[in-house]
Structure formats: C-alpha cells, structure tokens
C-alpha cells in the first residue's frame, strides 16, 4: 500500500520550482514538466503558508521514500507517494505516479508545509492513507468537453485522422451534428453527449 508521510528525514537532493501555464494541456509524462504545471495549484491551495515561495520539491525520490516507509507505516513492503519536512520547506515525491496522483500528492504535501495534519476523511486532500482528491487537479488533467468530443469523433474517422477537417453545429438537446471533410470526401455524424461520455453515430 502506498501512503503519504508528513515530516521525516532530511536529505539534499535536486529540486525544481518553475512557473507554469494555466491553460489545460495534455498531462505531461515528464516529472519536471509536471512539477512546473502543478506548482501553482499546490501553492494556491494553501495561501499564507509559512513556506510560501521557499518550497524545495525533490522529485523521483523513491530511494528515500522507500527507506522511510516502514518507519511511517509499520509495513516493510509499503511505499510512500510523498513526504514533507515543514522545518526546511522540503517535499519529496515518488516517481511513476499518474498525473492526477502527482498533482494531488503535491497539494497534500504543501498542506503539511502550511501546518496541516492528516485527516481520516475519505477523499479529503489531507487524508493520511492516500485517498486524496483535489478538484483543481482533476480539472488540470481532464480535457474539457469540447476536446473530449473531438477526440471521440476523430476516433471513428479513417486514418490518417488528423487530416480531416471537422466542424460541428450548435448543440440541440443532447446532440449536435458534425461534418468531417478530407479533399472531396465528406462524412456526417451525430454526436450525443451525456454527463461524462460522448457517442458518435453516422448520419450519412
């Protein structure tokens, strides 16, 4: 089981702290880029933190986190996703986390730097068992509806899919009509939208 630790052993590793763009982009796979993208979210979550502007975030710190995990969890086979040392404003992050987990754990650890303790509330960003959620992180890694609709529509087009020009009309009820063109070829579709999914059907 992977968990999150508050403050523990200090160690000098390399750190990254750069500003990020605020527009949604495809979640990056590179942890350096992820850190730049999610730092503003973590800082905004805890205004007035005594560590504000002085945070040192160490990524890919698996060796340290693995060594500290048994001391925190009592389980020799456990692994920490992250930990923080408020005294030095340092945070350590595990590698191989999903973009959403990386962002949520970063916010959690910034919470420790701000003086917050663990809770046992499921889904609370300060949950100590790793069951953490944070809506700004969800938004940062989830494409907006318009992007998801276009991805679903392009998935049914013949390859090469990027060569089709796609235009869609206004939504009427749960549906909208879309037209895809490539040279002289034209394909028409009806796209139905529910709360969390899109369904594409041919209208030809």
């Amino acid at each position: 089981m992977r968990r999150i630790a508050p403050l523990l052993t200090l160690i000098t590793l390399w750190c990254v702290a750069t500003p990020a763009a605020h527009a949604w982009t495809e979640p990056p796979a590179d942890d350096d880029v992820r850190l730049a993208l999610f730092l503003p979210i973590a800082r905004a979550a805890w205004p007035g933190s005594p560590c504000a502007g002085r945070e040192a975030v160490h990524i890919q710190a698996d060796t340290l986190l693995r060594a500290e995990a048994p001391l925190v969890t009592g389980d020799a086979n456990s692994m920490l996703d992250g930990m923080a040392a408020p005294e030095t404003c340092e945070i350590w992050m595990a590698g191989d986390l999903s973009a959403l987990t990386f962002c949520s754990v970063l916010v959690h650890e910034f919470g420790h730097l701000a003086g917050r303790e663990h809770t046992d509330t499921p889904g609370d960003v300060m949950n100590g068992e790793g069951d953490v959620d944070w809506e700004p992180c969800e938004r940062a890694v989830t494409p907006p509806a318009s992007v998801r609709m276009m991805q679903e529509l392009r998935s049914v087009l013949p390859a090469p899919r990027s060569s089709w020009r796609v235009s869609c009309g206004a939504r009427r009820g749960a549906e909208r009509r879309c037209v895809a063109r490539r040279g002289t070829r034209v394909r028409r579709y009806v796209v139905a939208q529910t709360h969390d999914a899109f369904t594409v059907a041919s209208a030809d």
Side-chain angles (χ1 to χ4, degrees):
M1 177 176 66
R2 298 181 73 132
R3 295 174 59 188
I4 301 168
L7 69 142
L8 288 170
T9 305
L10 308 181
I11 188 170
T12 302
L13 303 174
W14 56 287
C15 65
V16 180
T18 54
H22 295 284
W24 182 89
T25 57
E26 188 71 26
D30 183 270
D31 282 346
D32 290 316
V33 183
R34 283 179 174 179
L35 182 59
L37 179 65
F38 299 139
L39 266 175
I41 295 175
R43 286 176 170 147
W46 310 106
S49 170
C51 287
R54 300 187 296 115
E55 306 94 343
V57 183
H58 311 296
I59 57 177
Q60 300 284 337
D62 296 62
T63 300
L64 176 64
L65 293 171
R66 190 172 291 108
E68 295 293 344
L71 302 177
V72 176
T73 67
D75 180 359
N77 297 316
S78 62
M79 173 64 179
L80 300 173
D81 284 340
M83 69 181 190
E87 296 90 345
T88 58
C89 297
E90 290 181 274
I91 288 171
W92 293 266
M93 299 284 294
D96 297 323
L97 302 177
S98 71
L100 178 57
T101 300
F102 187 103
C103 182
S104 300
V105 170
L106 188 67
V107 173
H108 176 104
E109 300 304 342
F110 268 61
H112 286 309
L113 297 190
R116 302 304 193 276
E117 300 294 336
H118 282 153
T119 73
D120 57 7
T121 305
D124 187 272
V125 75
M126 293 310 298
N127 179 279
E129 296 296 323
D131 182 9
V132 296
D133 292 308
W134 191 245
E135 180 61 29
C137 289
E138 294 273 1
R139 293 196 302 268
V141 304
T142 303
S146 59
V147 174
R148 288 184 284 124
M149 181 193 73
M150 198 59 63
Q151 290 173 338
E152 190 67 27
L153 182 54
R154 286 194 178 278
S155 72
V156 304
L157 292 170
R161 296 185 173 100
S162 61
S163 65
W164 291 85
R165 291 183 297 109
V166 179
S167 60
C168 295
R171 182 176 170 180
R172 295 184 177 181
E175 296 181 347
R176 72 177 75 229
R177 293 187 174 271
C178 299
V179 178
R181 293 181 173 86
R182 185 173 70 187
T184 60
R185 301 178 67 184
V186 179
R187 298 205 172 192
R188 295 175 175 83
Y189 298 92
V190 175
V191 181
Q193 181 178 353
T194 62
H195 175 66
D196 58 357
F198 293 90
T199 302
V200 179
S202 174
D204 288 330

